[in-house]
Amino acid sequence: MGQKGKICLIGVGNILRCDDGIGAYICNQIENLEIPGVDCLMVQQLQVELVEDLLDYQLVIIADASMSDSEVDLSPLSQLEPGMASSHQIDAGMLFSVAKNIYQKELDIYICAVRGDDFSIGDTITTAALARAITAVELIRNFIASAC
């Protein structure tokens, strides 16, 4: 990743699964703003290998599509949330647990969850989900400005 900034934004999702591409869209939009101190990373799913890349950041924001009722939510990862893992992916709680238990580093992680409507095969984010993603970009931009 080269020279690290203070903040890492991770856009999670598969751009070939319609609204699942919300995280990548958000990450692209923030990256285009060229905010000093902010590094952007796009991944299809979180993996434990990311932990070492995140250790030097003061703040990690994970943007991802959600199936929740909330349209857009930016909130800190509760340190009490158990991490879940499978053979294919892990969640943000597991990233936190690995960093804490192996590297003795408590990552400051925020989750930006944006409700998606359509997760079928396709490369277009639905109109409603795109509007929510645009709201999320502004929310993250303002959050970063207040955090710096």
Side-chain angles (χ1 to χ4, degrees), residues 8-20:
C8 182
L9 171 65
I10 303 173
V12 180
N14 184 341
I15 61 172
L16 299 177
R17 298 292 307 240
C18 294
D19 292 351
D20 196 40

Side-chain angles (χ1 to χ4, degrees), residues 18 23 46-47 50 54 56 67-68 72 78 85 87 99-100 102-104 107 114 120 131-133 145 148:
C18 294
L46 296 175
Q47 296 188 354
L50 288 173
L54 302 177
D56 293 329
M67 294 174 62
S68 74
V72 179
S78 167
S87 62
K100 183 176 181 181
I102 294 177
Y103 297 98
Q104 290 72 52
L107 296 175
V114 180
S120 65
R132 290 188 289 271
C148 291

Side-chain angles (χ1 to χ4, degrees), residues 93-148:
M94 182 59 75
L95 287 179
F96 179 87
S97 294
V98 169
K100 183 176 181 181
N101 294 325
I102 294 177
Y103 297 98
Q104 290 72 52
K105 166 82 182 214
E106 289 193 14
L107 296 175
D108 190 10
I109 300 176
Y110 278 72
I111 308 295
C112 181
V114 180
R115 192 181 83 223
D117 300 312
D118 180 4
F119 295 90
S120 65
I121 305 258
D123 62 357
T124 304
I125 297 173
T126 61
T127 303
L130 184 59
R132 290 188 289 271
I134 291 168
T135 298
V137 168
E138 189 63 19
L139 185 65
I140 291 170
R141 188 183 67 75
N142 290 336
F143 178 71
I144 290 170
S146 70
C148 291

Side-chain angles (χ1 to χ4, degrees), residues 24-88:
Y25 173 84
I26 292 168
C27 199
N28 273 325
Q29 296 303 305
I30 296 292
E31 187 170 47
N32 288 340
L33 295 174
E34 298 180 358
I35 303 169
V38 176
D39 295 329
C40 295
L41 175 66
M42 287 174 272
V43 297
Q44 283 197 6
Q45 60 191 21
L46 296 175
Q47 296 188 354
V48 74
E49 291 84 357
L50 288 173
V51 171
E52 285 188 14
D53 291 334
L54 302 177
L55 294 174
D56 293 329
Y57 287 102
Q58 294 175 9
L59 176 65
V60 176
I61 303 169
I62 299 172
D64 198 1
S66 168
M67 294 174 62
S68 74
D69 291 335
S70 178
E71 292 203 0
V72 179
D73 181 53
L74 177 63
S75 57
L77 174 71
S78 167
Q79 295 178 10
L80 301 176
E81 288 181 32
M84 292 182 44
S86 74
S87 62
H88 297 290

